[in-house]
């Protein structure tokens, strides 16, 4: 056996990457409904469902009517993407970015652990503070830590520079649902009207954030 | 406002990283049952549930009785981790690895696109062929592409070197459930008895694969 030969085909499966995408998206559109979302957010939702394997995710998505236009315009103007986790950054398909946009995460910045101690918060939250001077006009994607999303909202309410759009999809059992509810309620609670995308409940994660970013980066599926 | 000051606290949330982990794991253990899994796989399952925010994931997990011991022994002996996606590699917490183990993904190897064309398969599958000489005794984690899992099984059935353990959790709508069923059935179908972990159905993903690896890397939560 040569290791770089094609192994004997024992299973019947689709092995064409483009066909897999097409069939996947078609399956999702057959099984899920997106009528409750802004029309221009349908492709974003399809890609997020795709990344999770769960069509019922669509029900829990909440998308601000201005989100898609705001995020896409920002990225097309060269805005950076700010994330709370290296997995989110790693999941962004660089070839889809319209301007070779920077994708930033400060979690491994050597100042982060000390700053987290000083601020009395998590490293994920502190890492966002280190990116504060890049917030203006950016696309922020929180895919891991609820504390990072709470921290971002608190920074903004204190007057930090405004991002163009917020993808807020932290995951988990402690604070995740609450932080996303806070994002959804921020316009009513505080008059903070920044276009956002979120998913209600405990679901979320770095893959979901990356899916959203990859859909927002280009209109083309 | 100094950007590196702690913002005004507007929300009531837990901001202590260790406490968040502890409370999360306790919540999961209250809500989910793991009785159908090998006893030593409970912590792996808890961490996978943690990464997805979904306690019902536990029902769909299938863990070979020898998986945890095989993977942990291999990692403690310095075995590399082979993955199909950079997001999986990115999600592995390096500080948890017992021997600073290599984490390998060949998706961006410059030979991969050409090899995929030559083999008539996806780049994810072809990238695994490029790692074939590292398979022996490794821990393989497939977190993205069903084609990579089918391809791995076909390589092994053709006599490729045996990994110590397979984490097979690709996600999606086309081939994902089928590839994982093929992994689960490989001992009965082909006598291929390599310890494995999988999740039935469409769910899976890079975060899930990374959660499993992070749990297997150390017994300590």
């Amino acid at each position: 056996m040569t290791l770089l030969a094609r192994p004997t085909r024992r299973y019947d499966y689709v092995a064409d990457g483009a066909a897999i995408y097409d069939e996947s998206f078609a399956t999702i559109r057959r099984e899920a409904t997106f009528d409750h979302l802004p029309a221009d957010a349908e492709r974003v939702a399809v890609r997020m469902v795709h990344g999770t394997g769960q069509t019922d995710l669509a029900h829990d998505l909440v998308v601000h009517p201005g989100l898609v236009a705001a995020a896409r315009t920002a990225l097309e103007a060269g805005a950076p993407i700010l994330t709370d986790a290296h997995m989110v950054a790693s999941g962004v398909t660089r070839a889809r970015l319209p301007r070779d946009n920077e994708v930033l995460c400060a979690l491994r910045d050597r100042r982060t652990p000390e700053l987290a101690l000083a601020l009395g918060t998590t490293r994920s939250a502190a890492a966002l503070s280190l990116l504060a001077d890049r917030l203006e006009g950016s696309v922020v994607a929180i895919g891991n830590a609820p504390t990072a999303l709470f921290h971002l909202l608190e920074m903004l309410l204190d007057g930090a520079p405004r991002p163009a759009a917020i993808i807020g999809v932290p995951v988990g059992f402690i604070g995740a649902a609450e932080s996303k509810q806070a994002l959804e309620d921020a316009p009513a609670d505080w008059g903070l009207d920044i276009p956002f995308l979120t998913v209600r409940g405990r679901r979320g994660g770095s893959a979901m954030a990356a899916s959203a970013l990859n859909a927002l980066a280009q209109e083309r599926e």
Side-chain angles (χ1 to χ4, degrees), chain A:
Chain A
M1 180 193 72
T2 308
L3 290 174
L4 291 186
R6 180 164 183 166
T8 311
R9 187 59 77 95
R10 319 260 182 169
Y11 300 104
D12 180 27
Y13 61 97
V14 184
D16 177 292
I20 294 167
Y21 265 101
D22 287 348
E23 291 184 32
S24 296
F25 292 152
T27 303
I28 292 164
R29 290 191 164 96
R30 270 197 308 276
E31 295 189 18
T33 53
F34 302 96
D35 303 342
H36 60 301
L37 299 175
D40 64 359
E42 193 254 8
R43 289 186 174 197
V44 180
V46 167
R47 198 170 269 263
M48 293 176 75
V49 166
H50 179 250
T52 59
Q54 300 179 271
T55 50
D56 76 305
L57 180 78
H59 306 312
D60 294 338
L61 290 175
V62 184
V63 185
H64 183 287
L67 181 275
V68 174
R72 191 160 286 151
T73 302
L75 293 173
E76 285 172 357
I81 294 169
L82 277 47
T83 75
D84 68 327
H86 287 282
M87 276 191 86
V88 179
S90 177
V92 174
T93 304
R94 297 306 193 272
R96 290 184 65 84
L97 294 175
R99 289 282 299 275
D100 197 18
N101 308 61
E102 285 181 278
V103 185
L104 304 169
C105 175
L107 196 60
R108 293 188 197 132
D109 188 295
R110 62 188 165 71
R111 297 167 294 174
T112 298
E114 194 177 344
L115 184 62
L117 278 176
L119 301 187
T121 190
T122 64
R123 288 183 300 124
S124 300
L128 270 191
S129 280
L130 288 175
L131 296 174
D133 63 351
R134 304 302 304 275
L135 270 177
E136 180 76 43
S138 70
V139 175
V140 182
I142 308 293
N144 183 36
T147 52
L149 183 52
F150 277 127
H151 189 78
L152 173 68
L153 292 172
E154 290 175 339
M155 288 170 69
L156 295 171
L157 294 171
D158 268 7
R162 287 170 56 99
I166 301 172
I167 312 301
V169 292
V171 59
F173 295 85
I174 302 298
E178 295 83 353
S179 69
K180 291 180 287 188
Q181 193 64 53
L183 174 64
E184 186 181 341
D185 293 343
D189 287 351
W190 310 97
L192 185 78
D193 193 26
I194 298 175
F196 68 89
L197 176 157
T198 192
V199 52
R200 290 182 179 144
R202 290 169 167 177
R203 285 189 289 189
S206 47
M208 207 179 285
S211 294
L213 290 169
N214 286 332
L216 291 166
Q218 289 201 359
E219 192 169 354
R220 177 183 64 80
E221 289 204 312

